[in-house]
Amino acid sequence: MSKKFSTTTADYLDWEQMLNLIHKLYKDEKYKMSLLIALGCFWGLRISDLTALKWEQILNVDEITIIEKKTNKKRMISVNPQLKQHILDCYKKINPIGFQYVFVSQKKSVYTTQRINVMLKEIKATYKLTIRNFSSHSLRKTFGRQVFNRSGENSEMALIKLMEIFNHSNMGITKRYLGLKDEEIKEAYDLLKF
């Protein structure tokens, strides 16, 4: 947990590390966290939108539509076939009889962002993750970095798409959000040889 009035920046997970983590959590019967990390990293939603998800929205569908809480904007998301199967597998294991929300605690209330962040820090320690600052926002950043990294020569087009998905007002904000500005500055210094 960060100190009062301090700012911490969430980091992103390496995609392969994230996929391995999802599988390990599932194997270790931590189905809700496996699903939370999968949905967060594949869909790039804010934690407030993830915790608002209901089973009926995400089960056996090829696409979901949500209204983002922060921006009040409509967002349509395609559901990857493997993710669709993971959702179904987790649903069967969780067996949420009587619960409509996906991320419900044992106390029968929807997880808070603070509780999720505590659980993610515990996961970081338990699974010895190399990520420095791991929080609920890391999931959204992991999505963004993977979209950007997979773009190859079309990095500018990827930034435009991410700017739209994240509802940023310009590409500079998206670059800063993904940590690209710092990398670009570092690369400028690294180009100089003695």
Side-chain angles (χ1 to χ4, degrees):
M1 189 134 297
S2 60
K3 292 180 182 174
K4 195 171 187 178
F5 304 116
S6 71
T7 57
T8 57
T9 303
D11 294 312
Y12 63 92
L13 279 169
D14 170 76
W15 194 255
E16 288 303 315
Q17 187 179 40
M18 180 274 300
L19 291 174
N20 288 334
L21 178 60
I22 289 169
H23 295 298
K24 287 177 184 175
L25 288 166
Y26 185 87
K27 186 177 143 265
D28 292 345
E29 301 179 3
K30 295 177 176 17
Y31 306 115
K32 288 179 190 171
M33 290 311 290
S34 176
L35 186 57
L36 178 83
I37 291 169
L39 295 181
C41 292
F42 274 84
W43 292 348
L45 293 173
R46 289 177 186 87
I47 196 65
S48 59
D49 295 319
L50 286 171
T51 57
L53 291 173
K54 296 180 179 179
W55 284 111
E56 64 191 28
Q57 288 177 277
I58 67 169
L59 259 180
N60 299 315
V61 295
D62 296 321
E63 183 177 277
I64 71 161
T65 302
I66 66 159
I67 304 295
E68 292 181 333
K69 283 188 172 188
K70 183 175 181 180
T71 63
N72 210 26
K73 291 185 179 178
K74 185 177 182 180
R75 183 150 163 220
M76 291 175 48
I77 302 167
S78 292
V79 181
N80 170 302
Q82 293 87 10
L83 180 60
K84 184 177 179 179
Q85 185 60 52
H86 187 65
I87 293 167
L88 183 59
D89 293 342
C90 288
Y91 176 79
K92 288 176 182 175
K93 294 292 187 177
I94 294 167
N95 194 19
I97 297 179
F99 298 112
Q100 50 178 300
Y101 288 99
V102 178
F103 302 107
V104 177
S105 72
Q106 290 177 335
K107 295 179 181 176
K108 298 179 173 56
S109 62
V110 174
Y111 285 121
T112 64
T113 301
Q114 294 79 7
R115 179 65 189 133
I116 288 171
N117 285 332
V118 167
M119 291 188 300
L120 289 174
K121 289 190 183 4
E122 290 168 356
I123 287 169
K124 176 188 172 188
T126 302
Y127 294 91
K128 297 175 178 44
L129 301 179
T130 57
I131 187 171
R132 228 179 52 218
N133 297 312
F134 191 36
S135 70
S136 58
H137 212 63
S138 297
L139 311 179
R140 187 168 159 90
K141 283 193 172 188
T142 299
F143 165 82
R145 280 308 285 240
Q146 181 64 5
V147 169
F148 180 78
N149 290 344
R150 301 263 317 177
S151 66
E153 297 291 318
N154 281 330
S155 60
E156 192 161 331
M157 182 55 75
L159 286 173
I160 291 168
K161 288 177 186 175
L162 287 168
M163 183 181 84
E164 182 70 25
I165 290 168
F166 290 150
N167 289 311
H168 291 160
S169 57
N170 64 59
M171 242 191 301
I173 293 170
T174 305
K175 284 173 128 179
R176 199 168 44 252
Y177 181 82
L178 296 175
L180 297 174
K181 285 259 193 216
D182 295 339
E183 287 177 20
E184 289 171 346
I185 292 168
K186 184 183 179 313
E187 283 175 10
Y189 286 106
D190 289 346
L191 288 172
L192 303 174
K193 302 289 182 209
F194 197 88

